[in-house]
Structure formats: structure tokens, C-alpha cells
Amino acid sequence: KVIWTLLVTILGYASSLPVGDDSLCTAEELAKYSIIFTGKWSQTAFPKQYPLYRPPAQWSSLLGVTHSSDYSMWKKNEYASNGVRDFAEKGEAWLLMKEIEEAGEKIQSVHGIFSAPAISSGTGQTSTELEVHSRHPLVSFVVRIVPSPDWFVGIDSLNLCEGDHWMEEVSVDLFPYDAGTDSGFTFSSPNFATIPQDTVTEITCSSPSHPANSFYYPKLKILPPIAQVTMVKLKKTHLGLPAPYLNLPAKSNEIIDSVS
């Protein structure tokens, strides 16, 4: 009876342990990367209703986080948080940063926040640096498409750790997502809340299947990537002192300026 009780207790404890890709990371504790976001939203690639003024096509600041599998900034086919809604609809980062910080404090699933300045046109680059940890090897971020109802691009939980080493370089093509909180079809649609809220969905050349949709290109099989992100591991000589538990972005960044 005692052995049975002990076995049940051990199994119960084991089942409560967090299980995720990050639990397999045996690489050195810390790694630093440069992250380069490249906008590819040109009038040539996306001619339909391309925003030329009030405002012209551009990208918001990038807001990202390095974390463990216990945290999720956003996920396809799941409901966006209030923070992601505010960011996707209005480019306001305060609530999303608050959600990230609370997750870091409560379940210690967040290692650091990073951000990069906005891009004032549909094409161009912005960059910053991020730090990952062997227990927090995942990267997530969002960048708002401006103007748009609630559209964004981003990455959800990309693992930079491969077993016993960190990836040297990774590039990902990015495609537009709908946050599911605003029902506008076009870049310049007025604010029209989606009630009840829908889940985050990828926007394709045929979905939403409506001629008014700004990304509706029925003759294409797939949309060209609207952006790309590249992360390059920095050599140890470029590593500085260990960053604080939550790396808030530099004061010169537009996101922090608006928060302040």
C-alpha cells in the first residue's frame, strides 16, 4: 500500500512537470542574436489597394520576447490576448508588455523583452539584439501592418536551440495574420469590432474569400512573403555582461517613448 501510494505520488509529480521543446536544450546557458526584420510590402508585390498616403504603407515597432514553452504571446487558431489586440489594432504596446512582465513574474517563463524601431515605409529594415537562455530558448514577436484593421506579422515560439547547440542563423518568411478582433476587409477600413471575437487566422490570397479583401489575389496560389526575419548568433566576443532578468528595450525606442 505504501509503495503504491509512493508510485502514484511520483507519477503525479512527473506529470506536472513542464514538457516542451525547450526542456531538451543542453546548449550553453546564454546566447545572443541579432534580429533583422525586413519589410517586403511593395506596391509591385501587393498592388491591390496599396496605401500611398494617410498613412502610407509602413510597419510598427517590433515587440518580442524570449521565453519557455510555458508562455505564449500569440497562436494561430487561438484567441488573441487583450495586449495583442491593442497592438494589432492600434500599435499600442503598454498592455502587451504588462502581460509579458506578469508572465515573467508569476511563472518565470520569460527571459527578456526586445524591440526594434518602426519602419516608415512598406519596404526597409529594422534590427535589434535579443538574448536566449537554455531554459528560455523560444522567440516570439509581433509587428503591426500599418494601416490595417488588426493585421500583423510575427513569429510564435521559434526554438533557437537544437539539442546541445544554438542555431547559427535562421531566416523565416512572414505572411499576414488577422488578430480576429476587427472585421475590416481593407487596409483603410474604419474600426468595426468583431463580436464575438474570432481566433487569429492567417490571411491568404483566397481567405477571406471576398473581392474587397486587400490581400485577395484569386489568380495566385500563394501570397508572396510580405516580410522576412533573420536571426544571426553573435560571437562570444560580442557578448556583454549578463542582461537583467527582464531586458526592457532602450529608451530611444518608439515603443518605450510612447509608454513613458
Side-chain angles (χ1 to χ4, degrees), residues 86-132:
D86 281 3
F87 194 87
E89 286 189 14
K90 298 172 280 189
E92 293 177 1
W94 172 251
L95 188 54
L96 180 53
M97 288 182 68
K98 191 177 176 186
E99 290 173 354
I100 294 168
E101 289 177 9
E102 284 176 355
E105 288 168 5
K106 285 180 183 174
I107 53 176
Q108 298 195 348
S109 56
V110 171
H111 179 69
I113 299 174
F114 58 92
S115 68
I119 304 173
S120 60
S121 61
T123 58
Q125 286 189 335
T126 187
S127 64
T128 187
E129 292 181 2
L130 63 89
E131 186 180 80
V132 281

Side-chain angles (χ1 to χ4, degrees), residues 20-30 132-138 159-166:
D21 291 343
D22 49 318
S23 62
L24 305 174
C25 183
T26 57
E28 58 184 336
E29 196 171 56
L30 295 172
V132 281
H133 184 273
S134 55
R135 292 194 304 276
H136 306 86
L138 308 180
N159 195 344
L160 293 179
C161 182
E162 289 186 318
D164 62 353
H165 67 280
W166 295 103

Side-chain angles (χ1 to χ4, degrees), residues 1-186:
K1 202 169 185 180
V2 172
I3 292 171
W4 176 250
T5 305
L6 186 63
L7 185 60
V8 169
T9 305
I10 291 169
L11 288 172
Y13 171 73
S15 66
S16 70
L17 292 174
V19 177
D21 291 343
D22 49 318
S23 62
L24 305 174
C25 183
T26 57
E28 58 184 336
E29 196 171 56
L30 295 172
K32 205 168 204 176
Y33 285 80
S34 69
I35 175 169
I36 302 142
F37 176 87
T38 305
K40 295 189 171 187
W41 184 19
S42 68
Q43 192 171 7
T44 305
F46 300 92
K48 188 176 180 183
Q49 302 164 357
Y50 189 81
L52 294 171
Y53 57 93
R54 293 189 186 177
Q58 57 190 276
W59 300 96
S60 78
S61 302
L62 176 152
L63 181 61
V65 62
T66 55
H67 59 96
S68 69
S69 58
D70 294 323
Y71 172 79
S72 173
M73 178 182 261
W74 66 275
K75 278 195 180 300
K76 185 178 176 180
N77 300 326
E78 292 188 9
Y79 293 105
S81 68
N82 289 334
V84 170
R85 177 200 65 205
D86 281 3
F87 194 87
E89 286 189 14
K90 298 172 280 189
E92 293 177 1
W94 172 251
L95 188 54
L96 180 53
M97 288 182 68
K98 191 177 176 186
E99 290 173 354
I100 294 168
E101 289 177 9
E102 284 176 355
E105 288 168 5
K106 285 180 183 174
I107 53 176
Q108 298 195 348
S109 56
V110 171
H111 179 69
I113 299 174
F114 58 92
S115 68
I119 304 173
S120 60
S121 61
T123 58
Q125 286 189 335
T126 187
S127 64
T128 187
E129 292 181 2
L130 63 89
E131 186 180 80
V132 281
H133 184 273
S134 55
R135 292 194 304 276
H136 306 86
L138 308 180
V139 175
S140 297
F141 71 81
V142 286
V143 182
R144 166 171 154 74
I145 297 173
V146 184
S148 75
D150 61 342
W151 303 342
F152 69 96
V153 297
I155 275 181
D156 165 37
S157 304
L158 175 67
N159 195 344
L160 293 179
C161 182
E162 289 186 318
D164 62 353
H165 67 280
W166 295 103
M167 297 171 72
E168 290 297 323
E169 183 174 337
V170 58
S171 288
V172 181
D173 286 335
L174 304 176
F175 299 89
Y177 281 89
D178 185 320
T181 61
D182 192 299
S183 296
F185 266 131
T186 66

